[in-house]
Amino acid sequence: MTAIIGAGVAGMAAFQSLQEAGFDAVLIEARDRIGGRIHTLDLAGWPVPVELGAEFIHGNPPELAEFVDTDSEQPADIGDNRAIARLDKVSPSDPDRTFSDFLAQQSDLSADERASAIHFIEGFEAADPERISVQSLHRERAAADETAAPRRPRQGYTAVLDSLRAEGPILTNTVVELIRWRPGAVITHAMGPLGATEIAAERIIITLPLSLLQTQCPRFEPPLSAKAPAFSHLIMGGALRLTFRLKHRVWRDQDAGFLFGDFRQPGHFGVWWTAPDGAPQITGWMGGPQVNTGMGDTRGGIADLAQILGCAEGEIASALIDSY
């Protein structure tokens, strides 16, 4: 049998593949739900889903073709930023460096171009310019399909999760604390709804977030010493999203698409996008190190959106049904 830790998309896909191939497997999840960073709220009487996690599909992954319409969203136009465009000219043989170091070497760029480039790295990449690798950005841009605008799954990401469901044991509310392993055998020690439990298997697949593995949660006996250098050199980007459900649209165009603010100080929701089909719902986005400023609350979001739309904060506040 194979034990799989983590019921996000990677864990669910592995679980489904094993089941379809005729192998015994058990899926273990600490939360009371499956999906991981996908979390969709389908609210009764509300025309569109509220996504608390992933929302867009970037590129044209064949696995998700059945979930999207042929029509796509308008791409988020960041303008003609020379600093970002110059990433295409980076040679794979060049020594790697941070984006901040790369930007410092572009002596002919204006202050506005520099600010715009940092805004893109922090917002779109959800990354710290002082840490993100220029070589990784170059590889990402080389692999990107620039003709494919971001799209949403029909009826939200719930349909994607439903497609990954498989028959078999899924243990939710079960926190793995210790994994004892040796070649050909593994015992998972976990705390579940009925108390402590042990799950014996021949092998284990770990799909936990990087941040948990970096804090040695769960513990491994023996430790994963060979993987420690990789863990220490990787980091997840920070992101904070704020979604408003409104009584009516407070923007003029029915399908406004992406809206951008000109905020030079951190701690603001500088990018917003509207929901499909003209629904009165809008989402703000903050990425990179500024998510740690503690300024990303509902009141701040109302102020940021009002500034971008050129309306009074009270107009948004009076139309607000709920925020997430």
Side-chain angles (χ1 to χ4, degrees):
M1 184 174 75
T2 299
I4 304 168
I5 313 299
V9 168
M12 292 180 65
F15 186 55
Q16 183 187 68
S17 296
L18 287 169
Q19 294 285 356
E20 291 178 347
F23 293 98
D24 292 331
V26 58
L27 182 58
I28 306 169
E29 169 58 44
R31 295 177 177 176
D32 61 355
R33 63 174 181 85
I34 61 173
R37 292 189 180 92
I38 289 177
H39 191 187
T40 305
L41 298 184
D42 293 305
L43 304 175
W46 193 249
V48 293
V50 177
E51 300 286 6
L52 303 185
E55 180 169 353
F56 291 104
I57 295 171
H58 296 272
N60 289 304
E63 298 86 350
L64 298 183
E66 64 182 288
F67 300 104
V68 297
D69 296 317
T70 54
D71 294 336
S72 62
E73 306 286 331
Q74 289 298 316
D77 183 11
I78 63 166
D80 184 20
N81 188 283
R82 291 193 293 165
I84 301 300
R86 287 175 184 175
L87 290 170
D88 297 336
K89 299 180 181 179
V90 171
S91 171
S93 62
D94 289 344
D96 204 0
R97 54 200 187 277
T98 68
F99 183 78
S100 290
D101 289 339
F102 171 81
L103 193 61
Q105 296 167 355
Q106 315 303 314
S107 58
D108 61 326
L109 298 178
S110 67
D112 285 344
E113 287 176 312
R114 294 176 186 277
S116 175
I118 291 175
H119 180 72
F120 175 79
I121 294 298
E122 292 184 344
F124 185 81
E125 300 288 347
D128 184 348
E130 298 284 347
R131 299 196 65 165
I132 191 169
S133 153
V134 163
Q135 287 289 355
S136 74
L137 290 168
H138 171 76
R139 289 193 296 269
E140 176 187 315
R141 289 179 60 82
D145 181 357
E146 296 183 357
T147 65
R151 295 168 293 173
R152 297 178 173 96
R154 291 187 301 272
Q155 290 84 48
Y157 259 101
T158 298
V160 178
L161 290 183
D162 289 343
S163 74
L164 291 172
R165 293 182 186 272
E167 296 296 329
I170 300 178
L171 308 180
T172 56
N173 290 306
T174 302
V175 180
V176 175
E177 298 176 339
L178 173 65
I179 297 172
R180 289 195 171 100
W181 66 279
R182 57 183 173 81
V186 60
I187 298 178
T188 300
H189 299 260
M191 186 64 64
L194 301 179
T197 183
E198 293 184 5
I199 300 168
E202 296 173 329
R203 63 193 65 81
I204 193 167
I205 298 174
I206 309 294
T207 69
L208 293 173
L210 174 65
S211 57
L212 288 180
L213 298 174
Q214 288 174 326
T215 58
Q216 300 182 27
C217 179
R219 292 183 295 115
F220 289 84
E221 292 184 0
L224 301 183
S225 302
K227 299 187 184 300
F231 290 163
S232 66
H233 284 82
L234 296 171
I235 191 170
M236 290 295 295
L240 179 64
R241 52 180 295 152
L242 176 67
T243 296
F244 291 158
R245 287 198 301 129
L246 303 163
K247 299 172 186 174
H248 53 81
R249 295 190 301 271
V250 294
W251 51 94
R252 294 194 182 109
D253 297 333
Q254 176 171 333
D255 296 311
F258 287 89
L259 307 172
F260 296 90
D262 185 18
F263 298 108
R264 301 305 173 94
Q265 299 299 318
H268 292 278
F269 293 96
V271 179
W272 294 77
W273 58 81
T274 56
D277 303 323
Q281 178 173 302
I282 192 166
T283 297
W285 176 267
M286 183 190 304
Q290 59 178 309
V291 303
N292 299 315
T293 61
M295 298 169 64
D297 57 6
T298 298
R299 180 181 297 181
I302 290 175
D304 292 342
L305 182 58
Q307 181 173 336
I308 292 173
L309 294 176
C311 67
E313 294 181 26
E315 182 179 350
I316 299 174
S318 62
L320 186 63
I321 297 173
D322 213 339
S323 65
Y324 304 85

